[in-house]
């Protein structure tokens, strides 16, 4: 029995993970679950699964969870960010699903790597921020790092056995990273200023959390994945090509020096990469519908349009610059996406803010976690200042109209 901790269990990837685990009670034991504020959903999960630990990063929500559970003595309720790190390192846990969204997942993801766990990495922001530190921890502790992002999981499946994190396998020419193109794939550039958060959240192929859905609409998700691919597989930015593939059936491809191109295909459902990583190197059922290529009919590929979706180009530039640039990019993106969801910023404004923040930031090399945290804080402050500036100008224009 493999003891599993699901960090971010109330989210989209977290719930898909519980769905796969429920299909294999003979193989996995859910030891711990964790989230931020959603006490009601975590309480339901505790009652259904009876894990040893349940943690909420938000202390008030943790108190609410204790009240909801009453005398559910089988589960220890923990509170605060440090509790998530504790869970990630617990002796009863062999496998950690890192599915917290954003920079909030960084410390617990690093803790799981440091403790030598099998680390199922959905929290791409942690890798984008601290890739070299995370990979160094994995190598030092002997942890197993398995990508959950469907694209990186696909690439991993197309690589020869025995790949080392951060080291490109011999004979690899490049990887082709596929992107659905998001809900505004065919929207004219001039119409993007008027798109709403609701439209951005309505992804054509995937059901996902709010932040990643907006990232998919701006193509920043592909930008973060571009950085992720370079770090995970030891590739130069020139070795990663992004292809828009509207059907989301081919999850990515690997091209070798002999001209062979290997691809992984499946229905667009996160339970496939989750089941793959949970059981690797074995295979288990995931509950995902089997692929009917006759029904799919066509597989199309086209180049991304970075004029309409500048976030992709900004992320590619950050990948080339390296150091702290991806940290600042990620921080500015998190703040800008939140402002867009709160209708304080329009859709093109997300890229405008990120570009301004990356240009104004101090930059530099990653010496350690403190540098990462400082660059993250700087990116957030600069992004808030820029958004306030945009909001003030809009208010002045409104007053003169
Ligand atoms: P969701 O928004 O659906 O869920 C986010 C989870 O993170 C929730 O459990 C939430 O808890 C928790 N969380 C948020 N903030 C904190 C915090 N400060 N401390 C502790 N927990 C926190 O996100 P997704 O499941 O969509 O995405 C999770 C990660 O996986 C992201 O990094 C995303 O990029 C990546 N990913 C997602 C895919 C998808 O299909 N959804 C595909 C590939 C990658 P609460 O509910 O209490 O707020």
């Amino acid at each position: 029995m493999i003891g599993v901790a699901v960090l971010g269990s109330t989210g989209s990837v977290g719930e898909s993970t519980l769905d796969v685990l429920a299909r294999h009670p003979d193989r996995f034991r859910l030891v711990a679950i964790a989230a931020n504020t959603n006490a009601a959903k975590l309480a339901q999960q505790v009652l259904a699964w009876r894990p040893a630990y349940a943690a909420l990063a938000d202390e008030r929500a943790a108190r609410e969870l204790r009240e909801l559970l009453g005398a559910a003595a089988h589960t220890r309720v923990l509170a605060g960010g440090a509790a998530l790190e504790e869970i990630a390192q617990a002796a009863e846990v062999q496998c950690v699903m890192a599915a917290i969204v954003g920079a909030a997942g960084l410390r617990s993801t690093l803790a799981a790597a440091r403790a030598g766990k099998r680390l199922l990495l959905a929290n791409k922001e942690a890798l984008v921020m601290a890739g070299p530190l995370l990979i160094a921890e994995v190598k030092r502790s002997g942890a197993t790092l398995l990508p959950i992002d469907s694209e990186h999981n696909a690439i991993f499946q197309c690589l020869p056995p025995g790949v080392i994190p951060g080291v490109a396998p011999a004979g690899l020419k490049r990887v082709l990273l596929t992107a659905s193109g998001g809900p505004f794939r065919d929207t004219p550039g001039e119409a993007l200023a008027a798109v709403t958060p609701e439209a951005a959240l309505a992804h054509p192929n995937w059901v996902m959390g709010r932040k990643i859905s907006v990232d998919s609409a701006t193509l920043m998700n592909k930008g973060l994945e571009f950085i992720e691919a370079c770090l995970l597989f030891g590739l130069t930015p020139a070795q990663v090509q992004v292809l828009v593939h509207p059907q989301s059936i081919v999850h990515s491809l690997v091209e070798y020096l002999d001209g062979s191109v290997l691809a992984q295909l499946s229905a667009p459902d996160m339970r496939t990469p989750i089941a793959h990583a949970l059981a690797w190197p074995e295979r288990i059922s995931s509950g995902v519908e089997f692929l009917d290529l006759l029904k799919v009919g066509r597989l199309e590929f086209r180049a991304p349009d970075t004029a309409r979706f500048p976030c992709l180009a900004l992320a590619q530039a950050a990948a080339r610059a390296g150091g702290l640039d991806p940290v600042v990019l990620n921080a500015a993106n998190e703040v800008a996406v939140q402002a867009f969801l709160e209708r304080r910023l329009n859709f093109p404004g997300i890229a405008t803010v990120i570009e301004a923040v990356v240009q104004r930031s101090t930059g530099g090399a990653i010496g350690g976690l403190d540098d990462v945290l400082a660059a993250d804080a700087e990116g957030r402050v600069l992004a808030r200042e820029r958004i306030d500036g945009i909001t003030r100008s809009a208010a002045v224009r409104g007053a003169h109209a």
Side-chain angles (χ1 to χ4, degrees), residues 98-123:
I100 290 173
V101 62
L106 176 61
R107 285 182 188 274
S108 51
T109 302
L110 277 171
R114 201 174 298 128
K117 307 294 184 191
R118 172 188 282 246
L119 174 56
L120 276 44
L121 184 71
N123 179 214

Side-chain angles (χ1 to χ4, degrees), residues 158-357:
C158 296
L159 294 178
V163 289
I164 301 166
V167 179
L172 183 149
K173 183 168 182 289
R174 59 178 182 160
V175 308
L176 305 163
L177 194 64
T178 55
S180 70
F184 308 134
R185 185 175 59 222
D186 301 314
T187 306
E190 58 278 12
L192 289 175
V195 301
T196 61
E198 290 74 20
L201 292 174
H203 195 281
N205 303 345
W206 296 94
V207 181
M208 306 183 287
R210 287 159 66 80
K211 191 254 177 189
I212 186 176
S213 295
V214 177
D215 285 349
S216 294
T218 60
L219 290 202
M220 178 54 93
N221 184 47
K222 213 45 55 182
L224 297 177
E225 289 177 10
F226 184 94
I227 300 170
E228 186 182 5
C230 293
L231 290 163
L232 275 179
F233 305 116
L235 305 172
T236 64
Q239 285 179 296
V240 183
Q241 185 186 354
V242 175
L243 290 179
V244 173
H245 166 48
Q247 292 81 14
S248 296
I249 295 294
V250 178
H251 297 298
S252 278
L253 312 93
V254 178
E255 186 172 28
Y256 288 92
L257 290 177
D258 60 7
S260 300
V261 178
L262 305 192
Q264 185 265 347
L265 287 72
S266 61
D269 186 321
M270 286 305 293
R271 290 176 299 173
T272 292
I274 291 167
H276 169 265
L278 277 169
W280 180 85
E282 293 173 24
R283 298 272 180 177
I284 54 172
S285 61
S286 64
V288 174
E289 219 178 287
F290 289 101
L291 193 57
D292 182 345
L293 281 174
L294 289 178
K295 225 196 249 170
V296 175
R298 270 162 23 135
L299 299 174
E300 299 162 87
F301 301 93
R302 45 176 127 134
D305 180 354
T306 49
R308 277 188 304 143
F309 301 105
C311 283
L312 174 59
L314 290 170
Q316 288 171 320
R320 285 190 292 273
L324 293 166
D325 274 31
V327 184
V328 174
L329 173 106
N330 179 67
N333 181 55
E334 287 193 21
V335 174
V337 167
Q338 190 56 37
F340 169 69
L341 286 169
E342 291 166 4
R343 295 173 209 278
R344 290 185 287 116
L345 191 64
N346 70 7
F347 185 78
I350 297 174
T352 309
V353 167
I354 296 166
E355 185 171 17
V357 170

